[in-house]
Amino acid sequence: MSGPSLMDSLFQRSLEDLIKGLRQQLIGEQAFISKSLEEIRKEIKSTDLSTKSTALLKLSYLSNLHFHDMSFAAFPALEVLSSPRFSHKKIAYQAISLSFHDSTPVLLLITNHLRKDLNSTNEFEVSLSLQCLSRIANVDLARDLTPEVFTLLSSNKLYVRKRAVAVVLRVFEKYPDSVRVCFKRLVENLENSDPQILSAVVGVFAELACKDPRSYLPLAPEFYKILVDSKNNWVSIKVLKIFSKLAPLEPRLAKRVVEPICDLMRNTGAKSLLFECIRTVVTSLCENESAVRLAVGKVREFLVDEDPNLKYLGLQALRIVAEKHLWAVSENKEVVIKSLSNADPNIKIESLRLVMAMVSEHNVSEISRVLVNYALKSDPVFCNEILGSILSTCSRNLYEIIVDFDWYVSLLGEMSRIPHCQMGDEIENQLIDVGLRVKDVRPELVRVARDLLIDPALLGNSFLHGVLSAAAWASGEYVEFSRNPLELVEALLQPRTNLLPPSIRAIYIQSAFKVLVFCLHTCFMRGKNIAPSASLDNMPAGVSASASYESFEDFSVENGADAAVVHDQTCASAPITKESIVNILNLVELALGPLLGSHDVEVQERARNLLGFVDLTKPGILNSSIQEKEDSEGKGVETSKIIKLMHDAFSKELGPVSSSAQGKVSLPDGLVLKENLGDLEMICGDIEPPSSNSFSFGSPYEEEKDGLSFSNLQIKEANEQSNESTSLLAEHRKRHGLYYLPSGKSEIISNDYPPANDPTLQGDINDNTDDLVKLTAESLVPKRKPNHGKPRPVVVKLDEVDEKPVARKQPESRDDSLSGAVRDILFGSEDIPPTSSQSNLSNSSKRKGKEKLHTDPHMESKESAVGDGNSSSRRRKDRSQGKERRHRSPRKKDDKERKDTGQKEKKKGSGRHKSRQRAEEPLKVPAQTPVIPDFLL
Amino acid sequence: MGIRFILMVNKQGQTRLAQYYEWLTLEERRALEGEIVRKCLARNEQQCSFVEHRNYKIVYRRYASLFFLVGVDNDENELAILEFIHLLVETMDRHFGNVCELDIMFHLEKAHFMLDEMVMNGSVVETSKANILSPIQLMEKAS
């Protein structure tokens, strides 16, 4: 072994050779690397530590820059680590920092190496092992090495102490119990005047405070001092970060820090510090009007600056301000709008977000117009960014900012025609959603849908297929508002529909079916009504319309009159004649014939249905048209029966159904669900998305419809039997003819639907709210109130669905176990009196924890090593007094101009002292008011 | 945690230094670096130095042929990170004298040491050039 080892070390390639070799390889880099790796694998087994360490060094290099696994070298790295030579140690530490992680198997073996080096007299060795600990510490390492870190926290070598302070963060994170041991020393370091230590310790506190700010409120005076005294921008930035977390928790603290922060903002020359001040003010001190004014002024300077970085940050800051102070955005409107055409996509997106923040119900149409024009001109990515944000802003909270739905629907149509538009799916959802929710918009919806359907060019754009399917569905579902239904049939069956995917084609065919049935029905009803008195061609269209209308049993009475008027006009504009009907029937046969052999089941099925219907009715129609004048009571009657039947089937309105509706269906007797499927619940619970769209639409809508209405009926029955309270609902339902799923008993929130005799609601209904403006004005009232009459009955349901995720979230955030533990311990060891949020109970338990701490023999020895007294209270007093001493002396020398502030601080100091003393006897005065207070006031 | 990772990447997109302050597997690193480099190197001088990527914010700056990319948390101060990058470059410049890509390639471990002096646990602990370099020089003398 010694022979080849010697050879190896003699001819071993150094890292430099490796890099040079790599540089020479233009093509065969991979081959070269794998050859080198082979060498390394051999060399790393060598008994010679220099050879081993060089191999390790090369391996680290390859792993770091060329992503090669180096886990096989974990043990050799430990061997190198045990070398007495510093240069070897260095390499080993670096390799370990780079490659070890929580699941590295040899991690346990490193503890003693680290401990040895932490106790070393060579400060560089200590520093290396601290550095390594900060990268790889896991629970065990953190626990086992806490005593060493604790000792180093008061090392007299600044270089070591600084790193020990920094490593504490990782140790706390991994092993929260170490807080009990180290926290006081850490706080002591906060008093240190050395800038190196200070910057490290403030960094640690900034991170800690980020996770759980409330625990650090008692340290506010120390932070305040640093904020006022600091000359180092890095430190100031970190302290500002701490205050931006603390200030929202304690309003008096916020008042106190506002002045120094504003001073900093006015005087600092460093943009980074200035920006941090701005951010602190706009996030945490936004109640202070003058500070916000000042900050917004500075933001403006950023905005108009040439530097894109400052512009970007300015926009970002403005977005934070916008949440509470919209005026700030309006003041800078021009800059923001101008940034929409900036060269940088990031800046464009930021300004877009800001523009969207400005949107309100008054300017939504104006802003959307501007943005849509922008979208037309801009590149595809940004275009869709714009469209996406318009869509999401407008649909927020159930379209709360939309007053004019006719406008909105036509905007949706317009957006889908923008060449780069890829938001088809979202537009599809919204078209259907609006159609279902807002009755009054349906005529306009049908018009928009017609325009979309009739344009053959749109069929070629695959991004629009979603929109087209929504348009097809809407035109079929609300065909009664159509001006010219026959035209719709033609559009739905046009040859280019073969470009559509089968699922959408099926929707097209089904819609064509509905429209056709409507046409036939209109025609037949008219024929029946008028047959005795007048000839077909010059009969008044209005009659036919209203006649057809009466059969819409599901339509609310209020709406009926209004809609009939609309209907009058529509039918007048496009009279349906027998000839045209026959033409259409021929067209249907022609267009759908080939589809009978379609490979897609859905398409084939629908086409067959429609053709079957045509086959059934066509003879009757032809017959009646020939023998029109004669009283032919033969096939004609049968045909009309069929048509009436079909028409009735389709004229049931499809009501919106909550996505959680299924859960409310009461379980029929004798049906065992849980036994076999109980396990599925876990899986399904994960899958079921908290969808923003609370309705479930399958792509084949008709199927859905049938299924749903069927289940609705079932539920209706079931509930009438089981649930008395739903009789009110049933009454309501009868009135409005919509389908609701009444909430079951199991539901926690049972008031998800307004009772029918709710006075306010009744008022609404009686008010006859067909007026669109009125309707939307109502919808702007906070959605929690069940204020909707007929127009959007589902809103209330949605509420319940919306609230669910929130409710689910809350407990999650509450039991963030780690920070909770840290906080618990922090309070325990610092012995801070309970804040208002804490009960006496928890306080006493904390006391217990502390007592445990002091009886722990291990700890005891630590403490005696430090030479403190044995009573915890005395020690604390000592410390706080000592602290003050330490502080005052430099200040006296420091400057006289700050005399008054010094006095203030002295007062503050004594205040703090007092509060500490008080803090020591929380048991005597259990019901103490929150304490943090006195510090800063 | 502030700083999540520091990368140095040349114009061709080759990584010259990678330092992570949280554990990522090699595959995750490869994917992350690929995405970031593609995103950042495509940007031009007139565009700002901040890019949002996944849940990171990338602050980057180009010096000659090298890109310095720092991935930070969302509430980190971008301008301060830019200053940090500048400080890093100045420090290396002082140490190597007119630092270039080759210096970092051939002295990767030294570059790592400098970073280790400046950053611990993802937060900046040292900002004085002299303080950063003195231990490195001492170590050099010792070995």
Side-chain angles (χ1 to χ4, degrees):
Chain A
M1 190 71 195
S2 69
S5 155
L6 181 68
M7 291 299 281
D8 275 352
S9 57
L10 272 178
F11 296 104
Q12 190 185 23
R13 264 195 258 234
S14 68
L15 176 61
E16 202 174 321
D17 298 335
L18 177 76
I19 298 168
K20 278 183 183 155
L22 266 176
R23 277 170 59 77
Q24 277 158 8
Q25 309 295 318
L26 287 174
I27 330 156
E29 196 183 75
Q30 280 310 319
F32 182 78
I33 290 179
S34 40
K35 196 169 139 250
S36 311
L37 275 172
E38 238 166 75
E39 285 171 11
I40 290 170
R41 275 175 194 275
K42 244 183 265 159
E43 288 160 11
I44 214 158
K45 287 184 195 131
S46 153
T47 46
D48 176 38
L49 276 179
S50 324
T51 314
K52 216 191 238 317
S53 66
T54 308
L56 194 60
L57 184 64
K58 288 193 285 185
L59 187 58
S60 310
Y61 183 88
L62 290 179
S63 167
N64 193 228
L65 299 187
H66 296 272
F67 309 106
H68 286 284
D69 179 41
M70 63 180 289
S71 55
F72 67 87
F75 194 75
L78 285 184
E79 289 175 315
V80 179
L81 189 60
S82 61
S83 160
R85 286 185 57 184
F86 183 76
S87 57
H88 292 167
K89 250 191 208 327
K90 208 167 70 173
I91 292 168
Y93 269 124
Q94 190 141 46
I96 290 169
S97 305
L98 283 175
S99 65
F100 278 31
H101 53 100
D102 279 0
S103 51
T104 302
V106 296
L107 202 58
L108 278 177
L109 301 178
I110 204 177
T111 318
N112 277 325
H113 289 293
L114 285 177
R115 183 175 290 140
K116 204 180 108 226
D117 285 337
L118 285 175
N119 291 325
S120 160
T121 49
N122 180 341
E123 57 181 324
F124 297 117
E125 278 179 10
V126 181
S127 146
L128 277 178
S129 82
L130 280 173
Q131 179 72 39
C132 182
L133 189 62
S134 84
R135 304 285 294 279
I136 65 165
N138 63 354
V139 184
D140 296 321
L141 278 176
R143 187 189 54 228
D144 296 341
L145 297 175
T146 298
E148 277 75 20
V149 174
F150 172 76
T151 318
L152 292 176
L153 273 178
S154 55
S155 160
N156 49 16
K157 290 173 185 153
L158 282 183
Y159 181 64
V160 168
R161 189 148 149 195
K162 171 178 82 178
R163 325 217 105 211
V165 167
V167 90
V168 155
L169 184 63
R170 173 95 180 195
V171 175
F172 280 6
E173 211 171 85
K174 294 288 170 187
Y175 179 65
D177 281 0
S178 61
V179 173
R180 294 210 178 111
V181 186
C182 299
F183 196 71
K184 276 179 206 135
R185 285 248 169 121
L186 193 62
V187 175
E188 277 166 20
N189 278 309
L190 205 52
E191 316 282 324
N192 202 300
S193 54
D194 183 85
Q196 293 186 46
I197 305 285
L198 198 62
S199 102
V201 77
V202 169
V204 170
F205 274 109
E207 290 301 321
L208 288 173
C210 229
K211 283 177 193 127
D212 174 32
R214 191 169 286 280
S215 310
Y216 304 94
L217 267 178
L219 293 172
E222 278 85 353
F223 296 140
Y224 182 83
K225 230 173 291 159
I226 295 170
L227 177 69
V228 177
D229 295 346
S230 168
K231 300 270 186 302
N232 182 334
N233 286 343
W234 292 89
V235 172
S236 304
I237 288 173
K238 291 281 179 200
V239 176
L240 282 170
K241 278 193 190 305
I242 297 174
F243 276 119
S244 75
K245 293 284 183 299
L246 298 187
L249 301 174
E250 178 57 59
R252 281 171 291 183
L253 178 65
K255 267 181 216 148
R256 177 81 194 191
V257 292
V258 124
E259 253 329 291
I261 292 180
C262 286
D263 284 345
L264 265 182
M265 215 174 346
R266 284 189 204 98
N267 302 328
T268 183
K271 288 273 188 273
S272 54
L273 182 55
L274 174 61
F275 180 63
E276 197 60 45
C277 290
I278 292 173
R279 191 146 64 178
T280 308
V281 168
V282 297
T283 50
S284 309
L285 304 168
C286 48
E287 280 79 34
N288 191 310
E289 198 69 30
S290 66
V292 173
R293 284 247 163 238
L294 182 64
V296 171
K298 295 287 179 188
V299 168
R300 192 174 170 79
E301 286 172 23
F302 274 32
L303 284 177
V304 296
D305 201 289
E306 284 299 301
D307 186 352
N309 289 342
L310 295 185
K311 199 179 242 10
Y312 177 81
L313 294 176
L315 289 169
Q316 247 184 4
L318 211 51
R319 187 148 62 93
I320 305 173
V321 192
E323 281 164 27
K324 293 200 175 119
H325 302 272
L326 207 56
W327 55 263
V329 189
S330 327
E331 270 181 15
N332 296 296
K333 207 156 115 195
E334 308 81 51
V335 192
V336 174
I337 300 268
K338 230 167 100 188
S339 309
L340 276 178
S341 43
N342 195 287
D344 185 350
N346 291 359
I347 292 182
K348 285 204 276 192
I349 287 175
E350 258 332 292
S351 54
L352 175 63
R353 287 174 185 163
L354 263 177
V355 172
M356 291 332 280
M358 284 193 279
V359 172
S360 71
E361 54 176 287
H362 306 294
N363 58 15
V364 60
S365 66
E366 185 191 331
I367 289 183
S368 302
R369 171 97 9 247
V370 173
L371 287 179
V372 167
N373 285 337
Y374 247 103
L376 274 170
K377 282 180 279 177
S378 53
D379 58 301
V381 177
F382 191 54
C383 167
N384 283 297
E385 202 72 48
I386 292 180
L387 297 183
S389 52
I390 294 178
L391 287 170
S392 62
T393 309
C394 289
S395 63
R396 198 173 47 207
N397 272 340
L398 297 180
Y399 313 95
E400 75 177 352
I401 57 166
I402 306 292
V403 174
D404 182 354
F405 275 92
D406 282 356
W407 163 80
Y408 187 56
V409 169
S410 54
L411 177 76
L412 287 176
E414 199 180 319
M415 284 185 351
S416 50
R417 284 165 182 275
I418 292 175
H420 295 309
C421 173
Q422 293 173 9
M423 307 300 293
D425 293 343
E426 182 58 25
I427 296 177
E428 170 193 6
N429 285 339
Q430 293 200 9
L431 279 175
I432 294 174
D433 200 33
V434 170
L436 286 171
R437 285 173 198 275
V438 188
K439 264 188 184 153
D440 306 64
V441 81
R442 288 172 188 172
E444 178 66 14
L445 178 63
V446 171
R447 197 192 61 73
V448 169
R450 174 216 167 254
D451 289 352
L452 288 171
L453 290 175
I454 220 156
D455 188 348
L458 298 182
L459 286 163
N461 182 349
S462 63
F463 290 115
L464 287 189
H465 286 166
V467 180
L468 290 177
S469 85
W473 176 81
S475 59
E477 187 66 20
Y478 307 120
V479 60
E480 67 266 17
F481 300 109
S482 167
R483 278 165 199 276
N484 187 350
L486 294 177
E487 184 188 53
L488 276 179
V489 181
E490 279 169 30
L492 288 168
L493 297 175
Q494 61 182 294
R496 272 175 72 91
T497 51
N498 61 8
L499 295 170
L500 293 170
S503 60
I504 294 175
R505 200 145 190 217
I507 295 170
Y508 263 64
I509 297 170
Q510 187 71 11
S511 295
F513 194 176
K514 286 193 211 168
V515 178
L516 185 65
V517 167
F518 175 79
C519 295
L520 289 178
H521 185 258
T522 318
C523 190
F524 259 78
M525 290 311 290
R526 187 172 58 192
K528 245 190 204 166
N529 282 352
I530 303 157
S533 61
S535 80
L536 232 167
D537 287 302
N538 37 4
M539 66 104 209
V543 180
S544 81
S546 55
S548 79
Y549 215 83
E550 273 155 28
S551 63
F552 291 6
E553 24 180 78
D554 56 327
F555 227 82
S556 57
V557 185
E558 296 94 322
N559 245 16
D562 186 40
V565 178
V566 177
H567 218 72
D568 259 354
Q569 299 157 350
T570 58
C571 279
S573 66
I576 303 169
T577 62
K578 293 255 168 173
E579 290 72 44
S580 58
I581 294 258
V582 173
N583 283 341
I584 284 295
L585 289 179
N586 289 334
L587 174 69
V588 170
E589 282 176 330
L590 191 69
L592 295 186
L595 290 182
L596 290 179
S598 166
H599 290 298
D600 189 85
V601 183
E602 204 63 46
V603 172
Q604 193 198 26
E605 170 98 8
R606 310 268 169 211
R608 234 169 236 292
N609 283 347
L610 182 44
L611 280 178
F613 175 72
V614 170
D615 281 349
L616 271 176
T617 51
K618 200 176 174 190
I621 292 167
L622 286 174
N623 210 19
S624 71
S625 70
I626 294 164
Q627 309 164 337
E628 191 181 307
K629 305 250 158 103
E630 299 159 31
D631 201 330
S632 73
E633 290 280 316
K635 274 185 175 173
V637 175
E638 216 160 277
T639 312
S640 75
K641 263 185 194 159
I642 294 168
I643 293 170
K644 182 146 182 5
L645 211 65
M646 286 313 296
H647 184 259
D648 286 354
F650 282 143
S651 61
K652 289 264 188 250
E653 191 171 337
L654 176 61
V657 178
S658 163
S659 60
S660 61
Q662 186 68 42
K664 296 178 190 166
V665 180
S666 57
L667 194 66
D669 289 340
L671 181 60
V672 187
L673 281 181
K674 281 178 187 162
E675 204 159 283
N676 297 325
L677 304 175
D679 299 351
L680 278 178
E681 209 173 282
M682 261 187 338
I683 305 159
C684 294
D686 288 345
I687 294 164
E688 189 182 329
S691 64
S692 57
N693 180 5
S694 65
F695 307 109
S696 49
F697 299 111
S699 49
Y701 295 103
E702 307 336 311
E703 235 178 32
E704 180 108 345
K705 174 186 171 176
D706 290 347
L708 282 176
S709 56
F710 179 58
S711 66
N712 279 352
L713 285 176
Q714 272 191 329
I715 296 153
K716 214 193 273 178
E717 282 167 18
N719 274 292
E720 267 160 21
Q721 287 163 0
S722 63
N723 199 344
E724 263 189 43
S725 70
T726 48
S727 65
L728 293 173
L729 269 181
E731 192 190 321
H732 186 86
R733 195 188 302 123
K734 216 182 269 173
R735 248 188 114 96
H736 301 290
L738 279 177
Y739 290 96
Y740 301 120
L741 290 183
S743 64
K745 278 179 196 162
S746 58
E747 222 33 48
I748 311 154
I749 311 150
S750 58
N751 61 344
D752 62 343
Y753 195 81
N757 53 0
D758 183 323
T760 60
L761 189 69
Q762 207 69 324
D764 274 0
I765 293 163
N766 294 341
D767 271 359
N768 210 349
T769 48
D770 357 31
D771 185 0
L772 188 67
V773 183
K774 218 190 246 174
L775 174 159
T776 37
E778 264 164 34
S779 70
L780 290 172
V781 179
K783 54 175 179 150
R784 225 134 285 201
K785 288 174 200 161
N787 60 341
H788 297 288
K790 56 190 170 52
R792 288 187 196 164
V794 213
V795 175
V796 191
K797 280 214 166 141
L798 232 198
D799 258 5
E800 164 217 327
V801 176
D802 278 348
E803 268 160 16
K804 261 182 195 161
V806 180
R808 241 179 268 144
K809 242 183 206 169
Q810 268 175 344
E812 227 176 307
S813 65
R814 247 177 238 153
D815 57 14
D816 184 351
S817 60
L818 183 102
S819 91
V822 173
R823 186 175 157 192
D824 229 35
I825 292 146
L826 279 179
F827 270 88
S829 76
E830 247 288 283
D831 204 16
I832 292 146
T835 53
S836 52
S837 68
Q838 289 194 311
S839 66
N840 294 329
L841 230 164
S842 71
N843 181 33
S844 70
S845 76
K846 254 166 236 147
R847 287 239 81 151
K848 240 183 255 164
K850 216 189 67 178
E851 271 155 32
K852 206 170 77 194
L853 164 88
H854 288 297
T855 50
D856 185 353
H858 179 65
M859 303 283 82
E860 206 78 88
S861 69
K862 274 276 95 63
E863 269 148 19
S864 58
V866 184
D868 272 351
N870 49 4
S871 126
S872 67
S873 67
R874 195 190 303 163
R875 202 172 64 232
R876 207 171 299 111
K877 252 185 231 166
D878 284 351
R879 188 170 67 77
S880 60
Q881 281 166 359
K883 207 190 305 172
E884 273 168 41
R885 241 179 279 136
R886 233 180 293 155
H887 264 282
R888 273 174 208 158
S889 48
R891 191 161 293 128
K892 263 180 214 160
K893 288 179 218 155
D894 208 23
D895 44 9
K896 279 173 190 170
E897 58 198 81
R898 257 198 236 154
K899 221 178 206 173
D900 47 351
T901 54
Q903 271 172 345
K904 239 186 252 168
E905 265 155 38
K906 238 185 243 173
K907 249 185 244 164
K908 215 172 28 149
S910 65
R912 183 180 67 228
H913 190 75
K914 229 184 269 168
S915 76
R916 283 262 164 81
Q917 278 180 326
R918 248 203 292 166
E920 278 148 26
E921 39 218 12
L923 285 183
K924 280 184 207 161
V925 197
Q928 204 160 23
T929 43
V931 188
I932 309 108
D934 298 12
F935 300 114
L936 290 170
L937 305 171
Chain B
M1 157 90 58
I3 297 173
R4 303 294 196 91
F5 57 81
I6 298 168
L7 297 177
M8 295 181 201
V9 178
N10 70 6
K11 267 194 300 189
Q12 287 78 40
Q14 293 166 305
T15 309
R16 289 301 178 215
L17 179 147
Q19 178 77 294
Y20 288 82
Y21 294 93
E22 60 188 345
W23 172 254
L24 295 179
T25 65
L26 287 174
E27 272 321 301
E28 286 166 337
R29 286 185 187 190
R30 192 200 292 273
L32 184 72
E33 285 174 30
E35 289 163 23
I36 291 174
V37 166
R38 229 172 297 134
K39 250 189 184 175
C40 294
L41 265 57
R43 295 169 62 81
N44 62 32
E45 293 291 321
Q46 286 87 52
Q47 303 179 338
C48 70
S49 313
F50 317 122
V51 177
E52 280 171 31
H53 182 75
R54 300 202 203 166
N55 47 345
Y56 303 114
K57 219 158 35 181
I58 317 291
V59 180
Y60 73 93
R61 191 157 185 167
R62 181 178 164 174
Y63 288 87
S65 64
L66 262 196
F67 283 83
F68 290 72
L69 307 128
V70 181
V72 294
D73 277 342
N74 265 322
D75 57 352
E76 192 55 68
N77 186 318
E78 293 91 340
L79 293 174
I81 296 298
L82 278 181
E83 282 168 26
F84 163 76
I85 294 178
H86 192 67
L87 175 70
L88 175 63
V89 174
E90 279 183 342
T91 312
M92 292 206 282
D93 204 50
R94 184 186 282 191
H95 184 77
F96 293 114
N98 243 334
V99 67
C100 69
E101 194 184 331
L102 282 180
D103 288 319
I104 295 166
M105 279 182 77
F106 282 99
H107 303 281
L108 184 65
E109 79 285 1
K110 246 180 239 165
H112 270 292
F113 274 121
M114 275 177 224
L115 273 183
D116 287 349
E117 290 297 322
M118 296 172 75
V119 184
M120 249 183 114
N121 257 328
S123 62
V124 178
V125 288
E126 186 54 75
T127 52
S128 136
K129 270 171 261 179
N131 285 346
I132 297 166
L133 289 177
S134 69
I136 292 170
Q137 281 149 2
L138 277 172
M139 271 192 249
E140 241 172 28
K141 257 181 225 163
S143 57

